[in-house]
């Protein structure tokens, strides 16, 4: 009983001696069939390698990815002095907030900007991970904030 994981060995091609052609005229057809099979095997292997290369190695184009970084601060007490605000307005004000926005756009290879065309790829498709480190005073801001 053969195990299913064992690959079958390919049978060794049998070559017929040239003298047999005189006795069996069809032997020439057999030799032509073997030659055709060898050519077909090499083409199949070549095509298989081409497909593997095409799937394994995507075609890369060198393009420019423009990144825009902006920030938005809202309800900051530094903008308006505490002396100007009365106690009632200070309690009703929202908590201070700060937003960092990072956008990216793939530029056209020609350099011409087309505003009518929508972006074909999202920025997140080009970036796997991003780390933003900010210099801040550890006395004012804890690590959890």
């Amino acid at each position: 009983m053969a195990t299913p994981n064992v690959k079958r060995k390919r049978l060794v091609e049998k070559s017929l001696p040239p003298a047999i052609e005189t006795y069996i005229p069809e032997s020439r057809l057999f030799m032509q069939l073997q030659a055709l099979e060898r050519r077909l095997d090499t083409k199949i292997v070549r095509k298989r390698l081409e497909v593997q290369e095409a799937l394994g190695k995507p075609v890369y184009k060198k393009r420019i990815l423009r990144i825009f970084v902006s920030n938005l601060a809202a309800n900051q007490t530094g903008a308006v002095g505490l002396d100007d605000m009365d106690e009632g307005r200070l309690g009703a004000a929202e908590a201070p907030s700060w937003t960092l926005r990072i956008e990216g756009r793939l530029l056209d290879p020609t350099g011409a900007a087309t505003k009518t065309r929508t972006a074909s790829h999202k920025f997140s498709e080009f970036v796997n991970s991003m780390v933003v480190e900010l210099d801040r005073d550890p006395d004012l801001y804890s690590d959890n904030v």
Side-chain angles (χ1 to χ4, degrees):
M1 190 161 36
T3 60
N5 293 339
V6 176
K7 290 184 179 180
R8 285 187 175 184
K9 289 185 178 180
R10 186 176 172 143
L11 296 175
V12 179
E13 288 185 9
K14 300 198 181 228
S15 58
L16 299 175
I20 201 150
E21 190 176 333
T22 58
Y23 300 113
I24 304 172
E26 291 86 13
S27 65
R28 189 166 35 127
L29 292 173
F30 178 73
M31 301 284 263
Q32 289 174 353
L33 185 62
Q34 280 184 331
L36 178 67
E37 185 181 11
R38 269 187 254 118
R39 285 193 311 248
L40 189 61
D41 285 342
T42 56
K43 286 185 180 184
I44 288 173
V45 169
R46 189 180 310 130
K47 285 295 181 184
R48 185 178 297 148
L49 289 174
E50 286 177 7
V51 168
Q52 285 176 350
E53 283 183 5
L55 292 177
K57 298 178 184 176
V59 177
Y60 291 109
K61 294 180 183 177
K62 189 170 183 177
R63 307 268 302 266
I64 296 174
L65 178 66
R66 180 151 301 154
I67 298 174
F68 302 95
V69 179
S70 61
N71 66 336
L72 176 66
N75 303 322
Q76 301 291 319
T77 57
V80 177
L82 289 175
D83 300 337
D84 298 339
M85 299 182 72
D86 60 332
E87 203 58 39
R89 286 181 47 203
L90 184 60
E94 294 181 22
S97 66
W98 180 76
T99 305
L100 177 69
R101 184 176 175 103
I102 301 173
E103 299 177 49
R105 190 172 306 137
L106 189 64
L107 298 181
D108 290 333
T110 59
T114 56
K115 294 182 180 179
T116 57
R117 195 184 76 161
T118 59
S120 59
H121 299 288
K122 293 183 178 182
F123 177 61
S124 59
E125 292 180 21
F126 299 110
V127 179
N128 291 333
S129 66
M130 182 180 295
V131 176
V132 177
E133 294 183 7
L134 302 172
D135 293 332
R136 59 184 184 172
D137 188 8
D139 296 333
L140 294 175
Y141 303 101
S142 67
D143 288 339
N144 297 333
V145 177

